[in-house]
Amino acid sequence: MSVILETQNLRREFGALVAVDDVNVQIAGGTLHSIIGPNGAGKTTFFNLVSGTLKPTAGRVFYKGEDITDLPVHQTIHRGIGRSFQITNIFPFLTVQENVRLACQALGKDSFRLLRSHARFSDYLERSEEVLTRVGLAEKAYHVAATLPHGDQRKLELGMILAPDPEVLMLDEPTAGMAAEQVPELMDLVQSIQEAGGKTVVLVEHNMNVVMRVSDRITVMHQGALLAEGAPAEISADERVQTAYLGELYETSAEEEAP
Amino acid sequence: MSTETSDLRSQTSEAGPSKNRQRAEWLRENRVRVTVLAVLVFVFVVALLGLEREDWFETIMQGLSVGALTFLVVSGLSLIFGLMDVFNLAHGEFFMLGAYLGWTAYTRADTLLDVAIPLLLLAAPFALMPLWQRLAVSITLTGRARKATAWGFVIVGALAAFFTITRFPLVIWDAENFALTPANMTVQIDLGTHAPLPADTFSGPVIVAVLGVLLGGALIAFGFGTLRKPGTETEALDRRNYVAFGGLLLAALLLHLVKEPVNEWIFGLSTTWRFFLSMGISVLLVAAFGALVEVILIRPLYDRPIYQLMITLGLGFILIELVREVWGRPEFTMARPAAFAGTGEGCPGQGLGGFFSGCSTVEVFGGRLRVYNEGFVILVGIVVLVAVTLLLRRSRLGMVIRAGVEHPEMVEALGINVRRVFTMVFALGSGLAALGGVLAAPSIGLSSGMGAVFLLGAIVALAVGGLTSFPGAAVGALVVGLLQQIIIRYGQVGIPIPFVEEPFKPSPTVVPAASIVLMVIILLVLPTGLLGRSEK
Amino acid sequence: MSLLELHDVHTFIEQFHILEGVTVEVPQGSIVALLGRNGAGKTTTLRTVLGLNPASSGKVIFDGVDITEQKSFDIAAMGIGYVPENRQIFAELSVEENLRIAERNKGDLAGKEEMIFGLFPDLKRLIRLPGTNLSGGQQQMLAVARALVANNRLLLIDEPSEGLAPVLIEQMMEAIRALSEHTTVLLVEQNFIVASRLAQHYAIIEEGRTVKAGEMGHLVEDEETVKRYLGAA
Amino acid sequence: MTSTALAQSTGLSGWLRRRRGLLGAIALLVAFPFIISIVIDGQGLAAVVNNDLGNARFLQGLAIEIFILGIYAISYDLILGVTGILSFGHAMFFAVGAYTFGIMLKSFELAWPVALLVVLVAAVLQAILFALVLPRVHGITYALVTLGFASVFWIVIQSSDLADYAGAEVGLQGVDAPVWFLDTTNERFIFYLICLAIFFGVYVLYQHIVDSPAGRVFVAIRENEDRALMLGYNTFWFKLLVLVIASITAALAGTIHTLHQPIVTPNVAGLFWTVTALLIILIGGMGTITGALIGAAVYRLLEYYLDKWFAGAAGLLIGAAYVLLVLYVPYGIVGTWRAKSLRIKEGRDRLLKLLTGGGGKEEPAAKE
């Protein structure tokens, strides 16, 4: 598989704090690549750097060999990178369908049409219905988004990324706050989307179990730096990951420094 | 819901970056800021050096004077915005209200005393609010009917109060002539357009008027008590309520008894002391009014900031109309207190010591300065700057304010009633604006448009200095004051332009425009102003 | 006897229904850990107790008094200390002022100085520095210290270990354990190991609901539950 | 919702049916001067066409003022209510149209279509000026900057240097009607009809704009601009588009104002004129478009009658009404009415569900 997304020495500082510390990651096209790590590991910052919502202090991001580091956010979407947010980020007072329809319309050429009713652009309507069916929200298409239960809002968010049919989907904790029962369902959905469309999925997760089953490859971050990378089996066997992840690291280091 | 962007990894190394590196880093982060400040200082210095020496000295002092007045308005605006995120568009009108109240206290203290009596009586029943709330529980109506009944009580009470207040024994008021308010009449008598009235034009039993006003107040208070949602806990009715009620009644009675001697005493004072007295009265009254505004109008809208902006806009409009109703539309002036108005023998005074010569003007470095404008006003500005800075830096209230600017919720979580602090800050800001109003009145006169003019200057100063920064407010006010005076001065002497014979003379109308242009430029370069913190 | 009880608490933030039935009991003198995944509603639960995000229905009872509809500052003044997520140190204030602002009566700080500086000796050295100059770990200590200044009977501590270096986590745990001898603690903690070693009781929150609660000892043995809800182990 | 409405109505008859309220209003307003002439003035139908003095003529003038206010307010609603841009410089949009048109006619003696063209260019340029600062400043700071722009214009237009053109503090006076059908004094009824046509033309246009793909993006920007950006919309261009449309519309209102009023005072560039627009859309309901029209009518009539009945105290009463509106009816007339009808509809749906006894599972989980 060719590398579709790549970071070189990506670094981001907030004042004295180094949130992302010279991270090099290569993500192969058509795979489901997860980035995991405990709270405060810098996953979301890294994610924001790659998707262009934050600008790095140093380092570059490449998409299909092209340097996209300085590209404005709205253009990365046009290149085919869609991203979701850890905190639900939707248009709360618009209907579910309108949320997705806006996402469909974004990549068309009709957004500056002023005089025809949006309802006459049936392509977007059809596409949004298709997407809503895919994520299982078709029956709630005319509900106001804010009135949906939390789990459905996460699905809507996923739908909004799917709508323009991007090549790379970047998902930041898509299951945050969802019930344990719903998690496998959503992960299956993500996996099926990835496999059916041959898409690349970059998944940031906090919960290791969620990603073990569906990932092709896993990157582990800890304290802003890259800790390990490999196939799920390698990762779960890696002792450093286990300790870092489970928070036992402090015991060893405390012992080292304590005497 | 944690966002990892805010995670701060601890550093086990304690030494931290060295002083030099810190300074270098600070410079790097603030290079735009430093450059802008440098350019600004450079432009000012060049502009001033282009003038003759006596001109530039005068210009600086006049700039400081205007800056001091602007600062008084802008300091309140800045405190309020910094702490509560409320942009008070009525702040200029508080300034105006301060000037009008100050004028009344200065030239017509008797009217103020007169009006205070019925107002105290009207306020007294509100001290018994818990009682009204308890009584209101017996009204079993709910929903809209309850609201309508409540407002009905308020309206009936207001009518009763209105008709009895106009029957009140006022020294200066022709009770037959409702078209003119007492204040308006005093203005006209003062201007000589209305004949002075004989004392006590009132006829009829005082007791009716007193009871009528009390009844009116009680009905209004009861109405508001009814507006409260049934079922919510009522405040406790304790001794304090009765003490407050009795105190207000007693105060009204006392005031009535001592009115004559107090009047005599006030009018016996020199105008200088009367001026200081009126400053105090005006500040207190407007501060109390500000607190009332915060509680009634601003507080219900904390979660709707745009509406807050709109309501202060509407409030400003109301205040202008109110002033026009109460004091009349024509502009009038306020006499300078005697200490700053001396002329004749030995005047103008010479040198810095001349400020104490009792002359209205002094000559310093060949420039002619007005003692009131370029001496007293600047002095008050500096005193307020120092006082507020001390309040912010040294007192517990200041500590809470500084903390509240940053994390109001955390302050609340420490058990501090942030809302009450908000009210106090709003009152403080209003009082400072009123102080500015009284100070400005002797030099710019009184008109219902004076607030809007100063608000524009204050907004510019605030935006230039940084919206939430108190030192920024001072710097911004200074910049605006100096810029305005420099341009006015150049409007007189003209700017020599190479190869053009006639020097360019900016017309006075462009003065405010220039400061606005400066504001736009600075905001475009530094969206947070000269000293503002970057957005949270 | 329970010092704090939440009964079927529902909370909205703007139009979003965040808590949809949280029930938690915090026995006097114990440490209770709120567990659950990111976005489950743990932080909101603490904020609801303090009235920062008031509950729209349900009951919050502190020491036998219904505080559901009370104002935040009144609730806090009843003796609840709060260590928020992100610490919320007042950057403009010095360390000393950060502590002094938490005084409810004059002299609170003087009386507690020994205890506070005993727990966090670093702070004594930094007392004149403005809050903005502290490192993450020092800020966390200051945040905890600030909650100790007044005489609080209950501490709400949100993610004390987040973003801390291992040594500091250890120190923080020591501190929490020490102060829990005098006060009751309701703790939100992502790091299960930390939580399991500190707390005697737990409640798992998921999608804004309490799904499981009980004694920590049982949970540690119940690998299935830990794996299912917390994703660790 | 819109898609179902669309399904049942294509072609002319469908259009007529959907627009029956609007068509009825237009018909009523066309007939309005005649009705007044007959019922109140006791004059015949010819009196209206002959431009005779009387209530009919006076009320037409009042209606034209409402149309001007309505067009002006609708453009502000697009900026503030629909797109959520907090601009406090809207009076400038109006005043630039009013002054430019007047000065072009009077001082430069241009033909009126050319003058209109100049107004158009000026409107587009100032919209670009307002948009240029958008990427730098947001929220209240943007409000202050735009307030600054408008204040500079307000000051400049009053300066004595430009007195020959703009008439300094007095304002622009003596602009003669350039052509017979734009003559409000001698051909009041024709002018009334033209203003009526423009008014409803703008209204229908704006409804279409808000309903168009671009209009949906405007709403999206108001709801959550960051998200709109993350969907791939370059929101700057959309906001520029909004400002250009609103600027042209407001300038058009200013142009009619110049034709209708004997004097264009500098007040139309001042902060209070922006507040008027704000007040109107607040009365009508922000972001509803229709609200701007209803608000304009309510505002102007209220102002007129309060002035008539209470003379001096009118300003105070308007201010008080404004404050009460902000506190108690924040969604305005149309907004409150829509919310009510929505609740009524919801209730009806629930009732139907209860009666048919099915479909309970779609209800959000029962909350006891």
Side-chain angles (χ1 to χ4, degrees):
Chain A
M1 282 283 170
S2 62
V3 172
I4 193 164
L5 211 51
E6 183 181 3
T7 69
Q8 289 181 356
N9 298 325
L10 206 58
R11 183 179 185 82
R12 172 71 198 202
E13 298 164 8
F14 294 103
L17 159 90
V18 185
V20 171
D21 194 353
D22 291 338
V23 173
N24 293 296
V25 173
Q26 293 191 336
I27 291 162
T31 58
L32 203 161
H33 191 125
S34 296
I35 297 166
I36 62 170
N39 253 12
K43 304 184 299 278
T44 295
T45 308
F46 174 72
F47 195 82
N48 286 339
L49 292 174
V50 174
S51 63
T53 21
L54 267 181
K55 295 297 166 212
T57 315
R60 322 264 357 140
V61 182
F62 295 93
Y63 172 67
K64 291 185 178 169
E66 180 197 9
D67 187 344
I68 59 163
T69 323
D70 298 321
L71 221 54
V73 178
H74 57 87
Q75 287 198 16
T76 57
I77 287 102
H78 288 269
R79 303 288 153 106
I81 305 176
R83 71 157 289 185
S84 77
F85 294 82
Q86 187 180 355
I87 297 167
T88 307
N89 195 345
I90 53 178
F91 301 109
F93 291 111
L94 302 182
T95 62
V96 169
Q97 194 239 22
E98 184 63 18
N99 265 282
V100 177
R101 207 194 59 75
L102 274 166
C104 299
Q105 187 191 303
L107 292 205
K109 291 190 174 59
D110 303 303
S111 288
F112 282 101
R113 300 280 291 265
L114 277 170
L115 296 176
R116 270 182 98 191
S117 167
H118 69 276
R120 285 174 195 259
F121 295 86
S122 48
D123 303 1
Y124 303 133
L125 282 176
E126 280 162 20
R127 172 74 187 147
S128 63
E129 270 159 36
E130 204 178 297
V131 169
L132 285 175
T133 315
R134 190 94 174 80
V135 297
L137 285 174
E139 285 178 10
K140 297 182 178 175
Y142 293 104
H143 288 220
V144 173
T147 62
L148 293 184
H150 183 78
D152 284 350
Q153 286 180 359
R154 301 303 302 183
K155 287 185 194 163
L156 173 58
E157 176 115 39
L158 186 61
M160 287 167 80
I161 307 159
L162 272 182
D165 202 23
E167 274 185 67
V168 178
L169 286 90
M170 303 190 62
L171 309 176
D172 191 358
E173 300 210 24
T175 65
M178 277 182 130
E181 292 85 3
Q182 294 180 346
V183 170
E185 185 194 336
L186 193 85
M187 291 319 296
D188 287 344
L189 182 62
V190 169
Q191 199 178 18
S192 73
I193 289 164
Q194 185 253 324
E195 278 167 4
K199 302 195 182 311
T200 313
V201 173
V202 183
L203 184 69
V204 161
E205 254 295 341
H206 172 80
N207 183 328
M208 201 155 100
N209 299 326
V210 168
V211 299
M212 279 304 166
R213 186 167 50 88
V214 293
S215 304
D216 295 315
R217 206 166 171 79
I218 294 177
T219 297
V220 188
M221 283 181 75
H222 186 61
Q223 306 237 344
L226 205 74
L227 186 74
E229 193 178 314
E234 294 166 38
I235 293 298
S236 51
D238 191 323
E239 209 166 293
R240 285 177 308 159
V241 175
Q242 280 293 332
T243 50
Y245 210 80
L246 297 176
E248 278 168 9
L249 189 69
Y250 71 87
E251 285 183 319
T252 46
S253 58
E255 279 160 22
E256 279 162 20
E257 292 177 37
Chain B
M1 291 228 165
S2 67
T3 47
E4 290 177 24
T5 44
S6 60
D7 62 352
L8 294 159
R9 278 192 305 133
S10 61
Q11 303 155 314
T12 33
S13 66
E14 285 302 338
S18 67
K19 271 265 152 68
N20 275 338
R21 231 193 89 194
Q22 252 178 354
R23 202 168 300 147
E25 203 154 287
W26 183 87
L27 268 179
R28 188 166 55 88
E29 270 169 30
N30 294 284
R31 57 180 186 273
V32 182
R33 197 155 297 201
V34 172
T35 316
V36 171
L37 267 172
V39 168
L40 213 57
V41 170
F42 178 74
V43 168
F44 274 171
V45 168
V46 166
L48 286 169
L49 289 180
L51 293 166
E52 303 292 325
R53 193 185 70 164
E54 61 264 23
D55 278 345
W56 70 249
F57 185 67
E58 268 183 44
T59 309
I60 288 183
M61 292 307 278
Q62 283 164 358
L64 283 176
S65 174
V66 174
L69 284 180
T70 311
F71 168 70
L72 287 177
V73 179
V74 86
S75 56
L77 209 55
S78 151
L79 282 175
I80 293 170
F81 185 74
L83 180 62
M84 313 144 78
D85 264 338
V86 177
F87 201 93
N88 181 14
L89 286 172
H91 210 72
E93 277 63 48
F94 286 24
F95 169 85
M96 170 193 70
L97 202 61
Y100 275 87
L101 285 172
W103 177 87
T104 308
Y106 182 58
T107 52
R108 280 291 167 188
D110 49 348
T111 309
L112 217 55
L113 282 174
D114 268 347
V115 178
I117 298 170
L119 286 184
L120 281 175
L121 290 177
L122 194 65
F126 283 86
L128 296 176
M129 202 53 167
L131 178 72
W132 308 124
Q133 284 171 357
R134 253 174 234 190
L135 286 177
V137 172
S138 61
I139 297 182
T140 50
L141 295 171
T142 51
R144 206 165 289 182
R146 189 179 181 86
K147 249 184 204 167
T149 318
W151 283 109
F153 275 111
V154 171
I155 290 168
V156 171
L159 285 175
F162 176 75
F163 282 112
T164 45
I165 283 182
T166 54
R167 295 271 167 266
F168 232 81
L170 302 181
V171 176
I172 302 280
W173 198 14
D174 180 0
E176 306 304 314
N177 191 353
F178 294 129
L180 287 178
T181 65
N184 198 343
M185 195 165 285
T186 56
V187 172
Q188 296 214 7
I189 292 170
D190 213 60
L191 292 173
T193 51
H194 196 289
L197 297 162
D200 271 345
T201 48
F202 168 80
S203 54
V206 178
I207 193 73
V208 175
V210 172
L211 288 181
V213 172
L214 274 177
L215 177 74
L219 285 173
I220 297 173
F222 182 71
F224 281 118
T226 317
L227 268 182
R228 227 179 131 85
K229 246 186 251 164
T232 51
E233 262 180 73
T234 54
E235 295 155 43
L237 179 69
D238 55 25
R239 213 161 50 94
R240 276 183 307 175
N241 296 106
Y242 294 111
V243 170
F245 178 66
L248 285 169
L249 285 186
L250 205 66
L253 181 70
L254 265 177
L255 212 54
H256 182 70
L257 292 177
V258 302
K259 198 167 69 177
E260 296 298 318
V262 168
N263 268 340
E264 271 173 37
W265 173 72
I266 289 177
F267 282 108
L269 287 175
S270 78
T271 50
T272 311
W273 284 113
R274 243 198 290 161
F275 185 70
F276 284 118
L277 190 68
S278 64
M279 259 164 52
I281 291 175
S282 163
V283 167
L284 284 180
L285 287 178
V286 176
F289 178 72
L292 206 65
V293 164
E294 200 275 337
V295 171
I296 295 177
L297 294 182
I298 313 277
R299 195 172 280 189
L301 297 174
Y302 272 113
D303 42 0
R304 286 187 277 160
I306 290 184
Y307 286 91
Q308 237 172 19
L309 212 59
M310 291 179 194
I311 209 157
T312 57
L313 209 57
L315 178 69
F317 185 57
I318 291 180
L319 286 178
I320 289 179
E321 292 296 327
L322 196 71
V323 161
R324 284 182 179 162
E325 285 297 295
V326 173
W327 282 276
R329 279 167 187 265
E331 299 180 13
F332 50 95
T333 54
M334 178 163 164
R336 215 168 275 173
F340 309 112
T343 50
E345 196 67 25
C347 285
Q350 292 297 321
L352 287 169
F355 278 103
F356 304 101
S357 63
C359 293
S360 65
T361 54
V362 290
E363 274 180 17
V364 184
F365 296 143
R368 187 168 278 215
L369 304 179
R370 292 157 296 178
V371 176
Y372 180 79
N373 291 49
E374 277 86 51
F376 183 64
V377 170
I378 295 176
L379 186 72
V380 175
I382 292 171
V383 167
V384 168
L385 175 63
V386 171
V388 176
T389 308
L390 282 180
L391 174 84
L392 283 177
R393 296 279 140 202
R394 294 270 178 272
S395 73
R396 181 169 168 86
L397 177 67
M399 193 163 77
V400 172
I401 291 173
R402 278 184 294 145
V405 171
E406 216 177 332
H407 305 299
E409 279 198 333
M410 189 61 224
V411 176
E412 192 113 321
L414 290 171
I416 295 163
N417 187 346
V418 172
R419 286 288 157 88
R420 193 183 297 153
V421 177
F422 282 9
T423 311
M424 281 155 85
V425 169
F426 208 93
L428 175 71
S430 313
L432 288 177
L435 182 64
V438 186
L439 275 182
S443 45
I444 66 169
L446 293 102
S447 70
S448 54
M450 66 193 287
V453 174
F454 259 82
L455 182 71
L456 203 59
I459 287 178
V460 172
L462 194 60
V464 166
L467 284 177
T468 55
S469 156
F470 184 74
V475 172
L478 189 69
V479 168
V480 168
L482 281 175
L483 181 75
Q484 285 187 3
Q485 292 309 313
I486 289 174
I487 289 178
I488 288 177
R489 184 53 57 112
Y490 271 107
Q492 291 158 3
V493 301
I495 304 170
I497 297 170
F499 310 117
V500 183
E501 261 175 47
E502 191 95 337
F504 171 68
K505 292 187 174 182
S507 69
T509 39
V510 303
V511 171
S515 50
I516 291 167
V517 170
L518 177 77
M519 169 186 91
V520 172
I521 292 173
I522 287 189
L523 282 184
L524 288 180
V525 182
L526 281 171
T528 52
L530 287 176
L531 300 183
R533 262 177 291 127
S534 50
E535 314 229 330
K536 290 174 212 167
Chain C
M1 196 211 138
S2 291
L3 182 64
L4 178 76
E5 293 171 36
L6 284 87
H7 292 296
D8 192 26
V9 167
H10 289 247
T11 302
F12 286 81
I13 296 180
E14 282 165 30
Q15 57 305 120
F16 298 107
H17 198 168
I18 306 293
L19 298 191
E20 307 182 26
V22 168
T23 303
V24 178
E25 276 195 32
V26 183
Q28 180 93 44
S30 67
I31 299 182
V32 176
L34 285 181
L35 306 169
R37 285 141 35 76
N38 261 9
K42 305 181 300 281
T43 296
T44 309
T45 306
L46 293 194
R47 292 173 57 87
T48 297
V49 171
L50 264 177
L52 294 171
N53 295 126
S56 60
S57 69
K59 287 248 169 293
V60 183
I61 294 165
F62 176 64
D63 201 14
V65 182
D66 184 351
I67 58 167
T68 321
E69 283 180 8
Q70 300 248 35
K71 298 258 195 292
S72 298
F73 52 87
D74 284 333
I75 297 174
M78 290 172 77
I80 301 186
Y82 180 41
V83 182
E85 183 183 36
N86 307 334
R87 291 92 191 222
Q88 303 218 1
I89 294 302
F90 304 116
E92 297 273 298
L93 273 56
S94 69
V95 169
E96 188 188 359
E97 284 177 315
N98 263 292
L99 293 172
R100 196 134 47 75
I101 196 172
E103 283 187 328
R104 261 175 231 137
N105 303 301
K106 256 199 150 63
D108 272 357
L109 181 58
K112 293 287 182 67
E113 255 175 359
E114 203 177 321
M115 188 257 276
I116 288 172
F117 295 144
L119 285 174
F120 307 110
D122 270 7
L123 291 180
K124 188 163 189 169
R125 197 162 43 80
L126 304 166
I127 197 94
R128 298 259 164 258
L129 275 187
T132 170
N133 285 15
L134 301 190
S135 71
Q138 293 162 344
Q139 287 199 1
Q140 186 68 61
M141 290 172 197
L142 179 55
V144 176
R146 183 172 60 187
L148 299 177
V149 170
N151 288 309
N152 288 320
R153 285 176 287 165
L154 173 68
L155 292 183
L156 308 174
I157 305 182
D158 201 348
E159 304 264 8
S161 76
E162 190 187 337
L164 293 194
V167 199
L168 293 171
I169 297 183
E170 187 70 22
Q171 198 184 341
M172 185 58 66
M173 280 175 69
E174 276 310 314
I176 292 175
R177 210 172 281 139
L179 60 89
S180 74
E181 284 167 22
H182 316 286
T183 43
T184 310
V185 176
L186 178 58
L187 183 76
V188 165
E189 183 52 73
Q190 282 278 355
N191 188 328
F192 179 63
I193 306 292
V194 171
S196 64
R197 287 176 48 187
L198 276 175
Q200 293 99 45
H201 304 269
Y202 74 92
I204 296 177
I205 303 202
E206 190 172 271
E207 269 208 307
R209 287 188 197 86
T210 311
V211 287
K212 219 163 163 59
E215 298 208 358
M216 190 52 97
H218 299 288
L219 182 65
V220 173
E221 285 157 22
D222 186 356
E223 228 170 86
E224 181 55 33
T225 307
V226 174
K227 200 165 175 160
R228 180 176 143 112
Y229 290 113
L230 310 176
Chain D
M1 281 169 271
T2 8
S3 57
T4 49
L6 191 77
Q8 52 178 256
S9 55
T10 40
L12 187 63
S13 68
W15 187 84
L16 285 175
R17 193 156 3 96
R18 268 182 296 136
R19 287 286 178 199
R20 60 182 186 274
L22 181 72
L23 294 173
I26 294 177
L28 192 70
L29 281 169
V30 171
F32 168 75
F34 296 101
I35 299 170
I36 298 293
S37 178
I38 294 169
V39 176
I40 297 181
D41 292 342
Q43 292 168 323
L45 297 177
V48 174
V49 184
N50 292 340
N51 196 27
D52 289 348
L53 291 175
N55 280 313
R57 184 185 145 86
F58 172 74
L59 288 175
Q60 282 178 58
L62 198 63
I64 291 170
E65 283 171 25
I66 291 175
F67 295 154
I68 293 169
L69 280 175
I71 298 170
Y72 171 54
I74 221 173
S75 65
Y76 195 47
D77 199 23
L78 186 70
I79 294 182
L80 179 64
V82 174
T83 319
I85 304 171
L86 188 61
S87 161
F88 271 10
H90 200 62
M92 183 173 163
F93 283 14
F94 183 90
V96 161
Y99 271 98
T100 311
F101 190 63
I103 291 171
M104 287 304 138
L105 284 185
K106 211 181 104 186
S107 303
F108 293 90
E109 292 174 346
L110 295 181
W112 67 273
V114 183
L116 267 185
L117 206 67
V118 176
V119 169
L120 185 76
V121 172
V124 172
L125 285 180
Q126 72 170 332
I128 291 173
L129 172 73
F130 272 61
L132 277 180
V133 299
L134 268 173
R136 295 289 295 164
V137 290
H138 311 273
I140 284 192
T141 320
Y142 184 73
L144 294 183
V145 171
T146 49
L147 177 61
F149 283 153
S151 302
V152 171
F153 182 75
W154 180 61
I155 290 161
V156 169
I157 208 76
Q158 288 186 73
S159 78
S160 48
D161 302 337
L162 293 177
D164 294 344
Y165 297 107
E169 282 99 349
V170 182
L172 187 65
Q173 46 187 328
V175 180
D176 296 326
V179 61
W180 68 273
F181 56 80
L182 292 180
D183 187 343
T184 186
T185 331
N186 302 317
E187 293 291 346
R188 175 64 55 91
F189 183 59
I190 303 289
F191 191 65
Y192 171 77
L193 287 184
I194 289 174
C195 293
L196 182 78
I198 295 175
F199 178 64
F200 282 105
V202 167
Y203 172 64
V204 171
L205 187 74
Y206 266 64
Q207 278 200 324
H208 274 100
I209 288 174
V210 173
D211 196 40
S212 72
R216 305 320 295 169
V217 181
F218 300 162
V219 174
I221 290 172
R222 178 192 69 200
E223 290 285 311
N224 188 343
E225 186 177 348
D226 283 343
R227 193 61 177 114
L229 206 62
M230 286 304 303
L231 285 183
Y233 294 108
N234 189 345
T235 53
F236 173 77
W237 293 110
F238 288 92
K239 290 198 275 190
L240 174 65
L241 184 64
V242 163
L243 287 170
V244 168
I245 295 171
S247 173
I248 293 173
T249 318
L252 181 67
T255 307
I256 305 174
H257 180 81
T258 304
L259 288 167
H260 184 60
Q261 298 290 354
I263 300 178
V264 181
T265 67
N267 288 348
V268 296
L271 175 59
F272 184 69
W273 197 244
T274 302
V275 176
T276 306
L278 190 59
L279 187 52
I280 290 173
I281 62 172
L282 209 58
I283 294 173
M286 254 198 231
T288 58
I289 298 299
T290 317
L293 306 192
I294 293 173
V298 171
Y299 171 81
R300 187 66 189 100
L301 293 175
L302 203 69
E303 189 187 51
Y304 175 71
Y305 284 105
L306 285 179
D307 221 34
K308 199 169 169 186
W309 295 330
F310 297 97
L316 205 59
L317 289 172
I318 289 180
Y322 172 85
V323 167
L324 290 177
L325 267 172
V326 174
L327 279 178
Y328 296 107
V329 201
Y331 305 111
I333 296 171
V334 175
T336 309
W337 182 73
R338 280 196 191 154
K340 283 248 163 74
S341 66
L342 203 72
R343 213 175 301 153
I344 293 167
K345 214 172 132 211
E346 238 178 31
R348 194 188 57 198
D349 288 352
R350 208 169 300 147
L351 190 73
L352 276 176
K353 228 170 241 169
L354 213 74
L355 288 176
T356 51
K361 73 168 196 291
E362 262 311 295
E363 283 282 338
K367 295 162 201 146
E368 288 101 279

